[in-house]
Amino acid sequence: MRHVLLVMAVLLAACGSGPLHLYEESTVGWAQAGPGGFVNRDGVLTSFGGMGLFWYSAREFRSYSLKLDWRVTGDGNSGVFIGFPASSDPLSAVENGYEVQIDASDVPERTTGAIYGVQSADIAARDAAVRPPGQWNTFELIVSGERVRVLLNGVQINDFTNTDPVRSLASGHVGLQNHGPHDEVSFRDISLTG
């Protein structure tokens, strides 16, 4: 019996603990910075007001894969922030981290999958992968050191390596932007591995 328990313990350790579910229905560990926020209903976070940031304040992350579903209604604008320090000021994420944009109708450096204002997504790949307003899309952001790869519905649409000495992707928090009163964007199934 001891041998069976030892083998089971080794197998469980080898398998890891699985993904860390940052949001399914509970917002424990999250904090709002700035105006506006998110309505939490039936396992979905929906933005209102802003400009603010709903961020996972419970801990920082290093080398991870962040996976989440998002949905816009009409011409919504939002983003997923990565690699920023803890702060109650939403501009701290803007100035010290990077935003992976959600807004399919903006200019290339500010469109869905772009590293906002820094590097455009591959527009042809993005256009082929993105689902229309009202349908759920899935982002997977794979962060390794100073590099982030952006996958949209399983298709890589961006590959960015940070060279800015003021910012670092190597360690930081993750968050969701609530952009403004006319930008309704919903999120669900937010998990992280790594």
Side-chain angles (χ1 to χ4, degrees):
M1 182 65 167
R2 279 178 96 185
H3 180 69
V4 170
L5 290 174
L6 179 61
V7 169
M8 287 179 62
V10 168
L11 287 173
L12 285 173
C15 292
S17 59
L20 171 63
H21 297 281
L22 301 182
Y23 174 78
E24 287 180 305
E25 291 187 10
S26 171
T27 57
V28 171
W30 291 84
Q32 178 67 30
F38 285 83
V39 173
N40 179 15
R41 183 176 299 122
D42 300 324
V44 176
L45 294 168
T46 302
S47 66
F48 67 90
M51 183 166 100
L53 181 74
F54 194 56
W55 61 291
Y56 194 73
S57 60
R59 65 179 270 211
E60 289 188 349
F61 300 102
R62 292 172 178 77
S63 293
Y64 56 88
S65 172
L66 175 66
K67 195 168 188 178
L68 56 86
D69 293 339
W70 58 267
R71 177 180 64 196
V72 297
T73 58
D75 185 24
N77 183 334
S78 185
V80 180
F81 278 89
I82 56 176
F84 61 92
S87 176
S88 60
D89 180 0
L91 291 180
S92 176
V94 173
E95 295 165 354
N96 300 297
Y98 286 102
E99 177 185 3
V100 179
Q101 178 72 349
I102 298 171
D103 183 354
S105 66
D106 213 331
V107 298
E109 307 80 41
R110 297 179 178 184
T111 191
T112 298
I115 308 304
Y116 186 87
V118 178
Q119 180 172 297
S120 174
D122 176 327
I123 301 300
R126 189 279 318 262
D127 286 350
V130 71
R131 295 183 184 124
Q135 293 186 22
W136 287 103
N137 288 275
T138 300
F139 261 165
E140 183 173 7
L141 311 180
I142 303 167
V143 178
S144 180
E146 295 295 344
R147 179 182 182 202
V148 59
R149 291 183 295 136
V150 178
L151 281 70
L152 174 62
N153 299 321
V155 175
Q156 183 169 303
I157 61 169
N158 209 335
D159 189 342
F160 170 74
T161 300
N162 174 49
T163 58
D164 183 341
V166 175
R167 303 170 190 236
S168 179
L169 290 170
S171 177
H173 290 275
V174 299
L176 310 173
Q177 181 187 58
N178 54 293
H179 188 266
H182 305 292
D183 296 304
E184 183 178 302
V185 181
S186 298
F187 297 89
R188 69 179 184 188
D189 299 330
I190 304 170
S191 63
L192 189 139
T193 55

